Amino acid sequence: PLTLAFFILILFTTSPSQDGKIKFRLAGYPRKHNEGRVEVFYNGEWGTICDDDFTLANAHVLCRHLGFVEALSWSHSAKYGPGTGKIWLDNVMCGGSENSIEKCVSRGWGNSDCTHQEDAGVVCKDERLPGFADSNIIEVNENRMENIHLRPLSGAHAGRMPVTEGVIEVKFKEGWGHICNTGWTTKNSRVVCGMMGFPSQRTMGKKPSSLQTVYRIHSVACTGNEAHLSACSMEFSKANSSASCPDGGAAVVSCVPGPLFTQGRARRVKLKPMSQVRLKGGAKTGEGRVEVLKGSEWGTVCDDHWNLQSSSVVCRELGFGTAKEALTGARMGQGMGPIYMNEVQCRGDEKSLWDCPHKSITAEDCKHMEDASVICNIPYMGFEKSIRLTGGRTQLEGRVELLLSTGSGVRDWGLVCGDGWTSREAMVVCRQLGLGHASSGLRETWYWDSSNVTEMVLSGVKCKGNEMTLTDCQHHSVVSCKRAGAQFSAGVICSDMASDLVLNAPLVEQTVYIEDRPLHLLYCAAEENCLAKSAAQANWPYGHRRLLRFSSEIHNIGKADFRPRLGRHSWVWHECHRHYHSMDIFTYYDLLSLNGTKVADGHKASFCLEDTECHEGVSKHYECANFGEQGITVDCWDLYRHDIDCQWIDITDVKPGNYILQVIINPNFEVAESDITNNAMRCNCKYDGNRVWLHKCHLGDSFSEEAEKEFEHYPGQLNNKIS
């Protein structure tokens, strides 16, 4: 009884932190972006929370602090590893509805009898609360801004996108308000322009404002490195008050757009080729896994201490604004190859991520499940207004219709010819509509016939897959569609997630060799068209074919399983090899001359797509035996060993010399992926007539100079795209 009485006496509601701000973050290993050890920043120091008396109600309050809608579960006994420093809170008891952990009952700040082996963790529901500026560290802020936009100045290029200059309008729960421009600086403008998706700002004098308005925000003082205006020092007037703006008016900014968002053809200008950072695996422009270039090889960034300041440096370097979210836990898929950077800690004003303080790491420090990603602020362009999907069962699918100007200058809706339509074109449509990744690109849409639109307005569309709008893609200058009728117009199915196949390039280099294989062992291979054409004139079954053999290990590093486009009812049984083929072509194997001319080739129908091995903690789902389901699970790989049939290039007719070995996965884009620029691998190849050597095997951008030339010479294409 005495112990219980003492325990009750020492419990009280925690007192406010000294500076009025508490920060929260998730840490530990292994974890995803929405789970981890809870760490609290209080009184200038990070610390943890003890698991004594911890409940799901506590987790709900903490998850809301972290910007999530609620908690799914919590963990005890330092599941995500023991923390360091202070144990700030112990015996925390919340009701679950509190808007701050400070309003829950506890022992008080820094009063604990726990060790770090009792650190509490949470798993939050992966759904964000509106209005949170930072996905990694959230500051408690009573005056949270829900939205911000620019209201164009009168007479300023009406209707032109993006809006680069205007009055700042801020949305609160009570409605929209303005910012008093007294004391306004270019550093403040830099922050606002970053939120609007622009990498920099123009200097401009005060512009008179005749707005009869409510000034909710005064005395803004940003350092210029903040990712969101709410992180700046400022004063708020009370809701529904009409505080004046002495000697001033509403704050106005003028922003400078990045190269992708300038007017006219300049909008399609590529980012500078020497950029040492790129984003991969994202569905939309300005989002993806962060990859950096070191020497000639790309690698990833570990998510330890990854935050909005570092993410914003990446975004601005690529011509976007500040970061909207700093994502951890390989949210945009796991990369491959080296992990170059860890504990990146940018101030926010660096020109490149490489300029930021960071640690070089070893394999023990980080795994690819900790790859950092970003979602950047990009300017609103209104691209979705000129395209729509009709007839689908959900908003994610349908027949593609474009709003284009007709010969008389009137804008009207029309169809896109389905000839040659692939998942690459579908990727662009889904991106333009903001509907995520492509799942399928369809050449016939007779089952989606619910619209009275019948005229074809675009044909011969050929996209690279990275364009922001369909009219940025090459297309016929005059509409020419082989199959007339709305039922042969293009359609798409979009998806939140997509697969991403990548070849293990080093393994190809390590396993290559030459075999002289007797013809009597190659009947099945000949039946499946795996030999050069000259094999048909050979003296079967005598003689041999010279084969360049190697292993292929194909990883799915995306966020969805890779599945054949055709259902199992359409798979073809091959009696000779006793298996089903689920794809017409799965990979191309080519030997090229140094000028890019093909000298030998081999192709592999999908022997059968299955999970050979998976990363730790991932279960296999696909197996070929007994007419099993085929595919490659996320974080698994399909291994084609060097010693199986068709795992080769027939080089019987090739003369000794220097060549390029090229392997392309999913070459016809039968199955949509989140990234098709990593489907090609190239190696330098030396063949002396008896032996072969490979070196510098690397994943190449599918749109190399050779591919660009292919686009330039595509018959009937229009290089000047529609604006």
Side-chain angles (χ1 to χ4, degrees):
L2 181 61
T3 303
L4 180 60
F6 174 76
F7 181 71
I8 293 172
L9 282 172
I10 65 170
L11 287 176
F12 58 95
T13 301
T14 59
S15 59
S17 55
Q18 292 179 6
D19 60 0
K21 290 183 177 179
I22 316 171
K23 299 179 183 179
F24 297 84
R25 70 184 181 191
L26 294 174
Y29 180 87
R31 66 182 184 85
K32 297 180 180 178
H33 68 283
N34 58 326
E35 64 175 311
R37 179 179 64 249
V38 179
E39 295 193 349
V40 187
F41 186 79
Y42 173 80
N43 200 22
E45 184 178 352
W46 285 101
T48 62
I49 299 177
C50 182
D51 61 13
D52 289 352
D53 295 318
F54 207 88
T55 64
L56 187 61
N58 298 0
H60 284 315
V61 175
L62 289 165
C63 283
R64 288 197 294 273
H65 272 313
L66 290 157
F68 298 96
V69 293
E70 63 180 351
L72 296 177
S73 62
W74 64 277
S75 61
H76 57 82
S77 304
K79 176 185 175 181
Y80 299 98
T84 58
K86 296 272 191 182
I87 299 176
W88 277 124
L89 293 172
D90 189 7
N91 298 111
V92 180
M93 290 187 285
C94 303
S97 60
E98 294 86 349
N99 61 6
S100 172
I101 197 73
E102 292 183 299
K103 296 183 180 178
C104 300
V105 175
S106 78
R107 284 176 173 261
W109 290 106
N111 189 349
S112 172
D113 59 359
C114 297
T115 70
H116 282 295
Q117 295 299 326
E118 300 170 84
D119 284 343
V122 296
V123 179
C124 303
K125 185 177 181 180
D126 191 8
E127 182 179 338
R128 289 286 177 194
L129 287 169
F132 275 87
D134 192 335
S135 64
N136 240 5
I137 302 171
I138 305 301
E139 297 188 0
V140 176
N141 185 343
E142 296 285 331
N143 297 289
R144 191 163 295 126
M145 306 170 192
E146 294 187 355
N147 198 1
I148 184 170
H149 69 214
L150 299 184
R151 180 181 183 184
L153 297 171
S154 58
H157 306 297
R160 290 185 64 178
M161 293 300 228
V163 175
T164 59
E165 188 174 286
V167 177
I168 307 167
E169 296 190 326
V170 183
K171 188 175 189 301
F172 298 89
K173 288 183 179 179
E174 303 81 17
W176 291 91
H178 293 90
I179 302 174
C180 174
N181 67 4
T182 301
W184 188 261
T185 67
T186 55
K187 292 180 179 180
N188 299 347
S189 296
R190 173 177 161 84
V191 174
V192 172
C193 287
M195 292 177 65
M196 296 294 97
F198 303 110
S200 58
Q201 75 292 334
R202 296 184 184 92
T203 301
M204 61 183 300
K206 286 188 178 182
K207 294 208 172 187
S209 173
S210 59
L211 293 170
Q212 298 297 315
T213 185
V214 173
Y215 292 104
R216 287 292 311 277
I217 301 175
H218 303 257
S219 304
V220 179
C222 302
T223 66
N225 296 333
E226 295 88 350
H228 194 279
L229 192 63
S230 65
C232 300
S233 171
M234 66 187 74
E235 295 178 7
F236 291 86
S237 57
K238 293 182 179 180
N240 300 319
S241 70
S242 55
S244 62
C245 181
D247 304 319
V252 176
V253 295
S254 180
C255 306
V256 179
L260 286 175
F261 303 97
T262 53
Q263 293 293 329
R265 277 188 58 79
R267 176 161 58 82
R268 286 102 187 177
V269 172
K270 293 180 180 178
L271 296 172
K272 54 185 179 181
M274 297 305 292
S275 178
Q276 293 186 306
V277 64
R278 67 184 184 185
L279 302 181
K280 305 292 279 186
K284 302 175 184 177
T285 301
E287 67 177 37
R289 179 177 61 253
V290 178
E291 295 188 354
V292 291
L293 183 64
K294 187 176 184 180
S296 60
E297 188 174 8
W298 289 93
T300 62
V301 177
C302 188
D303 64 9
D304 290 349
H305 297 176
W306 187 246
N307 61 20
L308 281 181
Q309 273 63 44
S310 300
S311 298
S312 293
V313 171
V314 171
C315 293
R316 290 188 192 271
E317 185 177 354
L318 291 170
F320 307 118
T322 49
K324 183 185 294 185
E325 289 194 70
L327 304 174
T328 59
R331 281 285 298 280
M332 299 289 182
Q334 296 187 26
M336 291 185 68
I339 303 173
Y340 285 133
M341 306 174 80
N342 186 26
E343 296 187 20
V344 181
Q345 294 179 301
C346 302
R347 294 183 307 273
D349 58 356
E350 295 87 351
K351 298 296 183 185
S352 169
L353 194 66
W354 283 112
D355 296 336
C356 300
H358 65 276
K359 291 183 180 179
S360 299
I361 64 173
T362 63
E364 290 74 31
D365 292 325
C366 283
K367 308 294 183 186
H368 279 298
M369 66 185 294
E370 299 170 88
D371 284 342
S373 305
V374 299
I375 298 177
C376 302
N377 287 309
I378 65 171
Y380 177 69
M381 299 295 290
F383 289 146
E384 77 285 355
K385 294 180 179 179
S386 60
I387 190 169
R388 68 186 183 189
L389 302 181
T390 62
R393 295 162 296 181
T394 72
Q395 66 169 3
L396 296 175
E397 65 179 28
R399 178 179 289 169
V400 180
E401 295 185 1
L402 289 178
L403 183 62
L404 296 178
S405 297
T406 62
S408 60
V410 178
R411 288 170 64 83
D412 203 0
W413 292 98
L415 305 175
V416 180
C417 179
D419 294 345
W421 189 260
T422 70
S423 61
R424 284 196 297 187
E425 288 70 46
M427 287 171 69
V428 177
V429 170
C430 294
R431 179 180 300 115
Q432 185 174 350
L433 286 164
L435 296 179
H437 299 284
S439 176
S440 300
L442 306 166
R443 299 183 180 185
E444 297 182 11
T445 54
W446 49 268
Y447 37 82
W448 285 335
D449 193 15
S450 65
S451 172
N452 58 3
V453 176
T454 58
E455 182 184 0
M456 295 284 184
V457 295
L458 205 64
S459 64
V461 182
K462 191 176 180 74
C463 301
K464 298 176 182 179
N466 59 357
E467 296 88 347
M468 288 193 288
T469 72
L470 195 63
T471 49
D472 286 343
C473 303
Q474 294 191 354
H475 53 269
H476 290 154
S477 55
V478 177
V479 176
S480 174
C481 197
K482 294 178 181 178
R483 298 188 299 171
Q487 67 269 33
F488 299 117
S489 62
V492 300
I493 301 175
C494 303
S495 173
D496 291 336
M497 295 179 288
S499 60
D500 185 14
L501 298 187
V502 177
L503 184 69
N504 183 344
L507 184 65
V508 175
E509 193 169 332
Q510 295 161 11
T511 56
V512 68
Y513 66 97
I514 285 176
E515 179 190 11
D516 290 331
R517 192 161 181 80
L519 284 173
H520 69 85
L521 298 178
L522 292 172
Y523 280 104
C524 280
E527 179 184 312
E528 296 192 6
N529 197 31
C530 295
L531 301 175
K533 292 180 180 178
S534 63
Q537 282 74 51
N539 185 23
W540 292 77
Y542 308 105
H544 67 269
R545 303 297 294 182
R546 176 156 288 188
L547 307 176
L548 176 65
R549 309 197 71 146
F550 50 88
S551 296
S552 293
E553 188 177 271
I554 299 167
H555 291 244
N556 182 2
I557 64 172
K559 301 298 289 184
D561 294 354
F562 184 92
R563 299 297 309 277
R565 180 176 61 87
L566 299 175
R568 57 198 299 167
H569 62 281
S570 300
W571 297 352
V572 179
W573 172 256
H574 280 244
E575 180 64 30
C576 198
H577 280 137
R578 306 288 297 175
H579 57 242
Y580 282 92
H581 285 192
S582 58
M583 291 177 67
D584 291 337
I585 299 292
F586 183 48
T587 55
Y588 280 148
Y589 300 151
D590 296 317
L591 196 65
L592 311 175
S593 67
L594 297 183
N595 66 8
T597 304
K598 189 182 297 184
V599 297
D601 61 14
H603 80 266
K604 176 186 288 299
S606 166
F607 273 170
C608 96
L609 296 170
E610 68 176 5
D611 298 327
T612 307
E613 294 291 341
C614 300
H615 287 301
E616 184 179 353
V618 180
S619 301
K620 300 179 183 179
H621 291 107
Y622 303 107
E623 187 175 9
C624 300
N626 302 318
F627 195 31
E629 290 291 344
Q630 294 192 24
I632 306 177
T633 303
V634 175
D635 294 336
C636 298
W637 56 91
D638 190 4
L639 174 63
Y640 291 94
R641 286 175 48 90
H642 55 81
D643 53 1
I644 65 174
D645 259 6
C646 296
Q647 187 57 40
W648 62 58
I649 297 176
D650 184 348
I651 60 169
T652 305
D653 307 319
V654 175
K655 297 177 181 179
N658 294 318
Y659 299 95
I660 298 170
L661 172 66
Q662 176 177 269
V663 178
I664 303 179
I665 307 168
N666 190 23
N668 296 338
F669 314 108
E670 284 190 47
V671 179
E673 300 182 54
S674 61
D675 184 3
I676 57 175
T677 65
N678 57 9
N679 285 23
M681 184 218 68
R682 293 183 179 87
C683 305
N684 293 341
C685 176
K686 180 178 177 60
Y687 172 49
D688 67 359
N690 296 300
R691 293 174 297 173
V692 66
W693 295 266
L694 296 182
H695 61 284
K696 293 186 178 178
C697 290
H698 63 282
L699 298 176
D701 192 323
S702 297
F703 307 117
S704 60
E705 291 182 6
E706 291 83 0
E708 292 285 0
K709 291 175 183 176
E710 173 194 336
F711 271 74
E712 289 171 10
H713 293 94
Y714 183 61
Q717 294 295 309
L718 178 69
N719 284 326
N720 294 324
K721 297 109 176 170
I722 295 174
S723 296

